[in-house]
Amino acid sequence: MTKLGAVFVPQWEPERLRGVARAADEAGLEELWLWEDCFFESGVASAAAALAWTERLRVVVGLLPAPLRNVALTAMEAANLERMFPGRSMLGIGHGVQGWMGQAGARVESPVTLMREYVGALRGLLGGERVTVRGRYVNLDGVELVWKPASPPPVLVGASGPRSLRLCGEVGDVVILSGGTPPGEVARARALIEEGRTAAGRTTPVTLAVYLIAATGAGQFERRRRAHRTWGLTGPVEDVTVGGDAAEIAAQLRRWTDAGADTIVLQPAADEPSPEDFVRFVARQLRPLVS
């Protein structure tokens, strides 16, 4: 079955998260996704708060920029969240937007090399290993988590280029594609991920998650067009966003699921009039129509 999630976009003030998370939990939303966009909101702090405010909701941070965060710290935070809220949190790792990484003094010459080293070390730490790494970017000397998770959470990775997507297939449990990815590009990404998974000799499947801008209610198409312009998306609005009532959106989503998406994370426009109503719509009206 296709999973459905919704994003709390960091263009909304942090103090709005509590109401949105509670609305999502009460409505039965499967997953609330958060971003660590520079320089808006911290992904981990927001995730911890959302988990504490809710009872059942799974909270996913997609993504944390690897250049900004030492892998030992990321492992500590992932393990803490998993122990405090078992099975309800996931953290994703990405290259980070290179311009932002430059602003923060964290840009690296080879993001692909960093990702390979980082995810390998993260897996080891979350798996309870004592990790020593002497890499180009990741260096650990006998690091072992004291408070290990009883069950290591999945490792999420995000990327867009061919080399990065193949690497994601090699090392990731879930691969995340950015908003504005049309169905044809989803199919191509799925093929590259499978190439990487096969080359690495992995037998377990890799889940593909896709962000997709969505709008419903009055003025939905105009909000989609504004989001299309704001995010600098290319191609027709209909190929990179969805909109309408629940039945119309459910029908449109089939293009992405047919292309290989396992999880669709609906991204409201930043000018969405009611984030609380948006997550309720996804959970109560759209979820029953998407199989």
Side-chain angles (χ1 to χ4, degrees), residues 160-162 165-167 169 187-197:
S160 56
L165 286 168
R166 289 190 188 95
L167 175 60
R188 281 187 279 274
R190 169 62 82 181
L192 290 165
I193 292 164
E194 288 301 309
E195 284 181 21
R197 186 180 71 89

Side-chain angles (χ1 to χ4, degrees), residues 28-85:
L29 185 72
E30 291 168 272
E31 296 178 343
L32 182 67
W33 287 58
L34 308 171
W35 296 347
E36 188 164 84
D37 276 3
C38 297
F39 298 96
F40 288 93
E41 296 165 10
S42 161
V44 177
S46 296
L51 288 162
W53 289 325
T54 57
E55 298 293 332
R56 298 170 299 277
L57 183 68
R58 173 176 276 191
V59 179
V60 187
V61 181
L63 298 159
L64 299 173
L68 276 181
R69 289 182 170 271
N70 184 283
V71 68
L73 176 61
T74 298
M76 290 163 60
E77 294 188 314
N80 276 25
L81 291 176
E82 177 59 28
R83 289 182 68 103
M84 291 188 292
F85 308 99

Side-chain angles (χ1 to χ4, degrees), residues 3-205:
K3 283 187 179 179
L4 283 184
V7 183
F8 179 89
V9 295
Q11 286 73 23
W12 295 329
E13 300 90 337
E15 54 268 28
R16 300 184 71 178
L17 176 59
R18 184 174 185 170
V20 175
R22 286 187 166 177
D25 197 42
E26 292 165 2
L29 185 72
E30 291 168 272
E31 296 178 343
L32 182 67
W33 287 58
L34 308 171
W35 296 347
E36 188 164 84
D37 276 3
C38 297
F39 298 96
F40 288 93
E41 296 165 10
S42 161
V44 177
S46 296
L51 288 162
W53 289 325
T54 57
E55 298 293 332
R56 298 170 299 277
L57 183 68
R58 173 176 276 191
V59 179
V60 187
V61 181
L63 298 159
L64 299 173
L68 276 181
R69 289 182 170 271
N70 184 283
V71 68
L73 176 61
T74 298
M76 290 163 60
E77 294 188 314
N80 276 25
L81 291 176
E82 177 59 28
R83 289 182 68 103
M84 291 188 292
F85 308 99
R88 292 183 53 212
S89 68
M90 295 193 297
L91 301 182
I93 304 299
H95 297 315
V97 175
Q98 295 308 294
W100 290 341
M101 297 303 97
Q103 284 181 274
R107 186 168 183 163
V108 299
E109 186 177 358
S110 177
V112 173
T113 300
L114 171 59
M115 177 76 78
R116 184 181 297 279
E117 295 176 356
Y118 199 103
V119 174
L122 183 62
R123 276 196 182 281
L125 291 167
L126 292 176
E129 300 174 15
R130 186 176 180 85
V131 178
T132 295
V133 179
R134 293 287 181 267
R136 182 175 177 182
Y137 300 111
V138 176
N139 288 277
L140 300 176
D141 184 7
V143 176
E144 182 178 358
L145 295 179
V146 174
W147 300 112
K148 303 172 180 64
S151 178
V155 175
L156 283 66
V157 288
S160 56
R163 287 182 61 211
S164 294
L165 286 168
R166 289 190 188 95
L167 175 60
C168 289
E170 291 181 40
V171 302
D173 299 314
V174 180
V175 179
I176 305 170
L177 301 182
S178 64
T181 305
E185 291 299 321
V186 172
R188 281 187 279 274
R190 169 62 82 181
L192 290 165
I193 292 164
E194 288 301 309
E195 284 181 21
R197 186 180 71 89
T198 301
R202 301 180 66 193
T203 57
T204 54

